[in-house]
Amino acid sequence: MGEKVNAQEILGTSKIGLWRGEYENGAMVRLYADDKMDELLGITAPITPEERAIFFSERICPDDRELFLDYIYKLSENRTEIVYRYIHPVTGEMIIRCGGIRDLSSKQCLSVIGVHQDISDIIRLEQQGMAERRLAEQNITLRREQVVKENYYRDLLDVQNCGLMAYTLPERTIIHMNAEARRMYCVTSIQQMQQELGSKLRKVFYPDKDSLNRLHNLMETDDVVDYECILNHGTEEECHVMAKTKTIRMPSGERVAVTTFLDVSDMIMLRDALQQAEEGNRAKTAFLFAMSHDLRTPMNAIIGYGDLIQSHWEQENQAKEYLKKLQEASRFLLELIGNVLEVSRIENGKESLREEPWDLRQLTDTLDILGNEFSRKRLRVTTHVKLTQPLVFCDGTKVQEILMNLLSNAVKYTPAEGEISLELQQIPSDRSEDTVLRMVVQDTGIGIAQDFQPRLFEAFSRERDSSQSGIAGTGLGLQIVKSFVDLMGGTIQVESTPGQGSRFTVELPMKPTDVTSITPIQSAPLFPLEGGRVLLAEDNALNAEITGTILRDAGMRAETAENGAIALEMLKAKPIGYYDLILMDIQMPGMNGYEATRAIRSLPDERSKILIIAMTANAFEEDRQAALSSGMDEYASKPIRAAQLQQVISDVLRNRESQ
Ligand code: ADP
């Protein structure tokens, strides 16, 4: 069993003393105390009860003396407690809890017995606890207020159309990022931004390289940097911003970089559009200026020779000569318009490659086309052809056009009896799977001045105009050549010495292809134009008359419809097989060429399969695509010529056969 606990021992370890006080005439006269009580009172030597009473009374804190006496009186009735301050001679103020009860056994005087407890520590602890509690409460309130305030500012920042991001330096820990900044950086949270910070910052493009240096300096020195940049550069989410980054010091001493961004993408777009419009305007003015001269020359010739023909109608030979000149001028005009259209398409980025299996040996046909020119000027032409892999995948028409332009320039700019050489060969490519076609056109002509050479490939640039040189030209040919070469990923070089001649070298990379993918040329029989019946859908009476005449001259019968709807009705009204072919204009009132073709293709009988060839003024790839996707078989560019028509029809028939 446990030891018996001695009450006195417990009291000894506690801070509780026992006492008995005797009072006479309202004043304590004797005070008896146990050892603990004496210790608490600060009495260290033996003392009489009378002396103790005085010692004690004197050390009650003067402010509490009255309270103490009052208490003693009250004790006469009840057992009560009091807390008062006692001044200990050594340790100073103590807080004492005093509980007493009247000792009724004593008859001589008022006697009170009680306990005297030092509660200073308890009170202090309690006070401390209270203070802590109060502090904690205050903290909670403050924190709440702070959160409310923070949320308020956060919401306030979120509704701004200005992005804001703040991160510490040098660690780059993001402290804040508002909604607009998250939108600009394409992230949904600060956490995501923190994770992707490296890659996001790498995707910022600074048009002015100096801003990046200035931003780097912010790592060391406090400053403000204003700059322009593109966020998410190179992606679809590009965002053009004006930004300002400032470094600040937080009360904690931490350095923070605060950046504000303003999305100016729309403004930039407008600015670019404006700039483009202005540039476009300038280019248009330059173009019109150049065109007015170049167009007027052949136009004047056409009108002039037309007048001459009229007035020399009776002199047949003379009239024929003028007619020849008029035709030359018309052809030139057509070529000019074709080139201008081509250039404008290239400039609008509309020109694209139509790559298909092609035989490079066809390039020598170009020489045949120019045959007349060579002999007219008695030019000596030498060719050197070494095509090791002639079957390639390329846009053959454009390659031919490049060569044609270079050769016709050589003819144009080389005086009679000069020399022209053409070299066609294939050289190895850097990429093993490719082959490079090298075309070299050299002449012994007038040559090109060194200072003009850099402008050679610009639109409308000519070293001498037609009136100076007597050589007709537009200054567009080499620009087209250069654009095509660029489109094919090739190169063009020129070496020239005035008075001695020029040498143009073109190199075009292309993929070789196998024999089977090339359809043999000329294998299909030519379409028998003679006797064929053509339904000509054309709203323009003049064009209808010209085309109709050409067709009839080639031995065909032509019937004209003024728009698509009439053509459809005529086709339906005649027996199956009555028409061999429809030549369909595209732009017609009422029902246009595309609509009419779709309607014909959905007819219930064999009529739906009739050959339909579009006639367009702009024979470009997208016109061709639009024609094909509406169900037409091919297109032919205006003005329609019998030979061209025959070629187109033969191509279509050949394709139909091979399908
Ligand atoms: P064009 O021949 O219609 O004027 P190009 O763009 O083909 O237009 O050529 C631009 C200019 O380059 C020509 O006007 C001429 O001054 C010069 N040029 C081109 N090819 C030759 C050449 N083979 N010899 C001398 N000059 C040339």
Side-chain angles (χ1 to χ4, degrees):
M1 287 303 286
E3 282 169 58
K4 211 168 182 191
V5 182
N6 181 337
Q8 199 64 40
E9 265 175 33
I10 298 173
L11 287 174
T13 58
S14 72
K15 290 183 174 179
I16 299 174
L18 300 176
W19 55 270
R20 188 160 71 89
E22 289 177 359
Y23 295 81
E24 282 172 15
N25 304 322
M28 183 188 274
V29 285
R30 280 169 296 279
L31 178 64
Y32 301 90
D34 68 353
D35 292 347
K36 190 70 189 177
M37 177 71 182
D38 272 347
E39 187 192 320
L40 290 173
L41 290 179
I43 295 170
T44 48
I47 195 170
T48 64
E50 287 77 11
E51 284 166 341
R52 184 183 287 113
I54 295 165
F55 187 96
F56 169 71
S57 305
E58 280 175 351
R59 283 174 176 77
I60 295 173
C61 176
D63 290 347
D64 294 349
R65 271 182 202 152
E66 212 172 310
L67 176 88
F68 193 81
L69 280 176
D70 187 41
Y71 161 72
I72 297 297
Y73 287 123
K74 282 198 180 134
L75 276 180
S76 46
E77 293 117 42
N78 278 316
R79 176 195 182 122
T80 45
E81 272 189 10
I82 184 183
V83 173
Y84 68 94
R85 281 165 294 173
Y86 176 81
I87 313 295
H88 188 280
V90 180
T91 55
E93 192 180 282
M94 298 165 86
I95 298 168
I96 305 296
R97 187 169 135 247
C98 170
I101 188 166
R102 190 162 170 197
D103 175 15
L104 294 172
S105 64
S106 168
K107 299 282 184 259
Q108 299 99 324
C109 59
L110 173 62
S111 173
V112 176
I113 52 170
V115 291
H116 176 99
Q117 185 185 7
D118 175 9
I119 56 167
S120 310
D121 288 349
I122 299 173
I123 294 287
R124 203 180 321 115
L125 284 174
E126 222 161 61
Q127 276 174 349
Q128 248 176 27
M130 258 165 61
E132 271 166 21
R133 266 200 302 283
R134 211 170 302 133
L135 214 65
E137 271 165 25
Q138 267 174 1
N139 276 346
I140 290 171
T141 324
L142 274 175
R143 177 87 200 114
R144 258 189 222 130
E145 277 171 13
Q146 204 181 347
V147 168
V148 170
K149 223 185 258 173
E150 266 179 21
N151 286 346
Y152 170 72
Y153 284 119
R154 186 157 297 165
D155 292 347
L156 202 65
L157 289 174
D158 274 356
V159 296
Q160 299 300 310
N161 58 0
C162 165
L164 185 130
M165 179 159 88
Y167 56 64
T168 62
L169 287 176
E171 305 84 4
R172 288 201 172 133
T173 308
I174 302 171
I175 314 174
H176 187 67
M177 191 177 186
N178 74 347
E180 177 69 354
R182 295 196 297 271
R183 182 192 69 75
M184 289 176 181
Y185 272 107
C186 300
V187 291
T188 49
S189 65
I190 294 183
Q191 288 76 8
Q192 187 192 350
M193 184 66 188
Q194 187 74 63
Q195 277 165 10
E196 299 172 13
L197 192 63
S199 76
K200 290 282 180 198
L201 294 186
R202 271 195 300 280
K203 279 196 203 115
V204 181
F205 175 74
Y206 302 87
D208 179 2
K209 291 283 162 285
D210 193 41
S211 15
L212 196 60
N213 295 338
R214 287 188 297 142
L215 283 171
H216 274 307
N217 289 344
L218 279 186
M219 283 302 217
E220 265 89 54
T221 40
D222 289 346
D223 200 359
V224 188
V225 181
D226 284 291
Y227 54 99
E228 197 180 323
C229 64
I230 301 170
L231 309 182
N232 318 310
H233 189 242
T235 71
E236 279 188 4
E237 284 83 27
E238 271 192 3
C239 180
H240 210 121
V241 301
M242 299 299 295
K244 186 190 209 110
T245 299
K246 186 176 183 338
T247 46
I248 53 168
R249 241 168 238 283
M250 299 291 273
S252 57
E254 220 166 12
R255 286 185 75 226
V256 172
V258 183
T259 307
T260 44
F261 319 86
L262 198 62
D263 185 345
V264 290
S265 306
D266 290 349
M267 260 150 62
I268 297 283
M269 235 158 66
L270 279 177
R271 186 186 72 186
D272 289 353
L274 195 69
Q275 216 168 347
Q276 247 175 24
E278 279 168 2
E279 271 165 25
N281 236 349
R282 260 198 302 277
K284 218 190 290 174
T285 314
F287 171 84
L288 286 176
F289 192 73
M291 282 297 288
S292 61
H293 171 261
D294 286 293
L295 275 181
R296 214 173 286 161
T297 314
M299 290 278 269
N300 282 344
I302 293 170
I303 294 167
Y305 287 122
D307 289 347
L308 284 175
I309 293 167
Q310 210 170 34
S311 53
H312 292 82
W313 193 244
E314 306 302 330
Q315 296 128 298
E316 198 185 329
N317 284 345
Q318 195 78 355
K320 270 190 185 158
E321 190 56 31
Y322 293 143
L323 191 65
K324 219 172 94 193
K325 295 241 165 77
L326 186 143
Q327 278 170 337
E328 261 171 39
S330 323
R331 253 195 295 280
F332 176 74
L333 186 64
L334 199 66
E335 186 191 305
L336 175 65
I337 292 171
N339 282 349
V340 168
L341 284 174
E342 190 113 47
V343 165
S344 83
R345 279 169 47 75
I346 291 169
E347 283 180 351
N348 292 334
K350 278 191 180 166
E351 195 59 78
S352 57
L353 292 179
R354 195 178 151 196
E355 291 183 313
E356 52 194 13
W358 205 72
D359 189 338
L360 288 176
R361 283 170 294 201
Q362 292 178 70
L363 283 173
T364 46
D365 295 351
T366 322
L367 293 168
D368 300 339
I369 300 171
L370 288 170
N372 279 343
E373 299 290 307
F374 295 146
S375 47
R376 194 172 56 83
K377 286 180 95 173
R378 299 182 302 284
L379 297 169
R380 206 150 63 81
V381 181
T382 52
T383 52
H384 172 75
V385 181
K386 193 166 172 235
L387 298 169
T388 44
Q389 285 173 297
L391 305 181
V392 291
F393 196 71
C394 71
D395 186 332
T397 315
K398 289 199 175 67
V399 180
Q400 238 168 347
E401 204 168 326
I402 292 173
L403 185 59
M404 185 68 179
N405 265 303
L406 295 180
L407 279 173
S408 53
N409 274 352
V411 174
K412 266 200 294 194
Y413 299 103
T414 303
E417 297 180 352
E419 281 176 34
I420 292 179
S421 82
L422 167 67
E423 218 178 279
L424 291 177
Q425 59 169 354
Q426 276 172 299
I427 55 169
S429 158
D430 296 343
R431 284 185 303 182
S432 58
E433 70 273 19
D434 284 0
T435 166
V436 172
L437 168 69
R438 176 186 279 167
M439 306 193 281
V440 184
V441 177
Q442 191 163 358
D443 63 53
T444 56
I446 60 171
I448 305 158
Q450 201 69 33
D451 58 353
F452 179 70
Q453 288 182 18
R455 287 188 292 129
L456 206 54
F457 301 108
E458 288 171 15
F460 300 110
S461 70
R462 307 196 69 209
E463 200 175 344
R464 308 162 192 84
D465 68 26
S466 314
S467 47
Q468 281 175 311
S469 62
I471 303 170
T474 58
L476 292 174
L478 285 183
Q479 201 219 3
I480 295 172
V481 165
K482 176 79 169 70
S483 308
F484 285 177
V485 168
D486 288 346
L487 210 58
M488 294 181 205
T491 57
I492 179 161
Q493 277 175 352
V494 58
E495 298 146 76
S496 183
T497 314
Q500 291 187 14
S502 315
R503 178 186 162 97
F504 286 83
T505 307
V506 173
E507 290 187 356
L508 304 170
M510 37 189 74
K511 295 216 176 327
T513 184
D514 55 22
V515 192
T516 50
S517 52
I518 301 221
T519 335
I521 308 150
Q522 305 295 353
S523 71
L526 284 181
F527 179 77
L529 289 182
E530 217 163 315
R533 193 179 276 112
V534 179
L535 174 54
L536 181 63
E538 167 68 83
D539 64 312
N540 183 302
L542 198 70
N543 282 346
E545 193 183 329
I546 295 172
T547 312
T549 309
I550 292 171
L551 293 174
R552 277 180 218 108
D553 285 353
M556 281 182 274
R557 287 167 286 183
E559 293 178 16
T560 309
E562 279 130 51
N563 65 36
I566 298 173
L568 179 66
E569 285 318 309
M570 284 168 70
L571 178 67
K572 286 204 285 195
K574 300 290 185 210
I576 294 174
Y578 178 83
Y579 293 112
D580 298 297
L581 160 73
I582 301 181
L583 276 182
M584 185 79 83
D585 185 29
I586 301 290
Q587 282 169 356
M588 288 182 289
M591 187 186 259
N592 71 27
Y594 301 133
E595 292 161 348
T597 304
R598 278 188 212 104
I600 293 170
R601 291 295 182 232
S602 55
L603 287 176
D605 51 36
E606 280 294 302
R607 289 182 181 89
S608 67
K609 298 205 181 104
I610 188 163
L611 255 179
I612 305 179
I613 291 174
M615 293 185 291
T616 69
N618 301 347
F620 295 126
E621 186 54 26
E622 67 260 27
D623 301 302
R624 178 176 179 271
Q625 284 309 329
L628 296 188
S629 58
S630 74
M632 301 194 198
D633 294 283
E634 246 313 343
Y635 73 49
S637 57
K638 287 183 188 175
I640 300 294
R641 294 198 190 90
Q644 170 207 22
L645 195 59
Q646 192 153 41
Q647 187 62 52
V648 170
I649 298 170
S650 303
D651 287 349
V652 171
L653 291 180
R654 197 191 313 135
N655 280 345
R656 276 199 177 180
E657 266 171 32
S658 63
Q659 271 163 18

